[in-house]
Amino acid sequence: MTHEIHHPVRVAIVGVGNVGASFAFSLLNSGLATEIVLIDANTARAEGEAMDLNHAVPLSQSTRIWAGSMADTAGALVTVITAGSAQKPGETRLDLAGRNVNILRALIPDVVKFNPDGIILIAANPVDILTYAAIKISGFPSNQLFGSGTILDTARFRYLLSQHFGVDPRSVHGYIIGEHGDSEVPVWSLANIAGMRLPVFCQQNNLACQDQVLDDIFQQTRDAAYQIIQRKGATYYAIAVGLTKIAEAIIRDQNTVLSVSSLIDDYYGMQDVCFSLPSVVDRGGVERILRLELSERELTGLQNSAAMLKQMNKNLGL
Ligand SMILES: NC(=O)c1ccc[n+]([C@@H]2O[C@H](COP(=O)([O-])OP(=O)(O)OC[C@H]3O[C@@H](n4cnc5c(N)ncnc54)[C@H](O)[C@@H]3O)[C@@H](O)[C@H]2O)c1
């Protein structure tokens, strides 16, 4: 009789700053991982976070947490890369690109060496550029390496819509696609509550639905990071929960539809660039990208976003 060997569910987090540490905290409380390894160039920081998180274990979920090295990515189901500089006030995500691509050049070859079969999930910004760079550096197939993309923007969008429409954000369905950043696109034509298109919902509930009202909601979505950074210096809780949702889809093989950034191959003629579209995520990573039927305006917006990202990849020599 053959015995199946069960390995512990290991998640590796490379970069344990605001985002990495918040993700570790969220993941610990989710109980999804049996092992969480924290890796940071600042080893004292990683050690401190591991100690603090371990002291929560008796009160939370049974999880082995330690500060490790890149060799500890071995066997991880997913390695999440948050290492990189954060956006500074007034700085766009694209300004960060060169600096953070160089960090990937140092880190990714080690993940490939120690963990050739695990998934790599990029969260550092600019996430679409870094995902593309990491695919090139790793040589991984595109299902196995992807970015958190607009998972956060989509959550912000749903929250802001929920405030206007007076329903639970989890009951509002809508997606932000394209770049995680200034050129992102709201898919208004498919947004809905209980399958009802927003104009119908507005009409029946006596709510304002003019272009200007909706545009304002989108602008708040798109500019949320700038607003938060101005007030508290960085954003991390919502992305941490977003990363936990992605990890959950992978660990539990859920086929969850999430707006994540992956390599696009012939989507309305767009290709060889990474950006976000609703995608089915399972144990193998991005199982497939959904082909939304977009309005003409949404498609033009997406094409602009793709062209901008492609130019950026080119400027960086990727
Ligand atoms: N995808 C999203 O939606 C989203 C949301 C928020 C922030 N971010 C991005 O996440 C990244 C991290 O943000 P943060 O606020 O946690 O920054 P932070 O400065 O608090 O943490 C970054 C960490 O990376 C570490 N680091 C840097 N170079 C490293 C290397 N070569 N190897 C290992 N560790 C290294 C640093 O020591 C630091 O601890 C940024 O790029 C930020 O823009 C993404």
Side-chain angles (χ1 to χ4, degrees), residues 196-230:
M196 292 165 77
R197 295 276 179 261
L198 299 185
V200 178
F201 190 88
C202 287
Q203 206 182 20
Q204 287 189 14
N205 293 277
N206 266 334
L207 290 164
C209 227
Q210 298 92 330
D211 282 356
Q212 212 200 318
V213 173
L214 299 183
D215 213 46
D216 187 50
I217 291 174
F218 169 59
Q219 279 179 32
Q220 285 182 54
T221 303
R222 188 194 53 202
D223 300 340
Y226 297 112
Q227 293 295 330
I228 298 169
I229 288 166
Q230 220 171 51

Side-chain angles (χ1 to χ4, degrees), residues 70-219:
M70 293 304 284
D72 293 320
T73 61
L77 276 184
V78 53
T79 300
V80 181
I81 311 273
T82 77
S85 317
Q87 244 172 308
K88 304 206 166 75
E91 191 180 49
T92 69
R93 294 188 178 94
L94 294 180
D95 292 333
L96 286 174
R99 274 190 285 153
N100 287 352
V101 167
N102 283 335
I103 291 179
L104 290 185
R105 288 204 173 103
L107 294 175
I108 296 288
D110 272 349
V111 186
V112 173
K113 179 169 105 186
F114 292 114
N115 190 16
D117 300 322
I119 288 169
I120 298 179
L121 174 60
I122 307 289
N125 276 320
V127 69
D128 304 290
I129 304 290
L130 296 189
T131 302
Y132 186 80
I135 287 174
K136 296 274 154 170
I137 296 165
S138 65
F140 272 15
S142 56
N143 64 300
Q144 203 188 334
L145 193 159
F146 59 101
S148 57
T150 57
I151 190 152
L152 175 58
D153 317 68
T154 291
R156 287 173 173 155
F157 189 49
R158 291 172 67 201
Y159 168 73
L160 290 165
L161 287 169
S162 79
Q163 297 303 289
H164 182 67
F165 293 108
V167 295
D168 185 336
R170 293 169 301 179
S171 303
V172 178
H173 307 286
Y175 286 92
I176 299 287
I177 60 172
E179 181 202 7
H180 166 57
D182 298 340
S183 72
E184 65 190 26
V185 178
V187 186
W188 287 115
S189 66
L190 300 174
N192 72 84
I193 295 166
M196 292 165 77
R197 295 276 179 261
L198 299 185
V200 178
F201 190 88
C202 287
Q203 206 182 20
Q204 287 189 14
N205 293 277
N206 266 334
L207 290 164
C209 227
Q210 298 92 330
D211 282 356
Q212 212 200 318
V213 173
L214 299 183
D215 213 46
D216 187 50
I217 291 174
F218 169 59
Q219 279 179 32

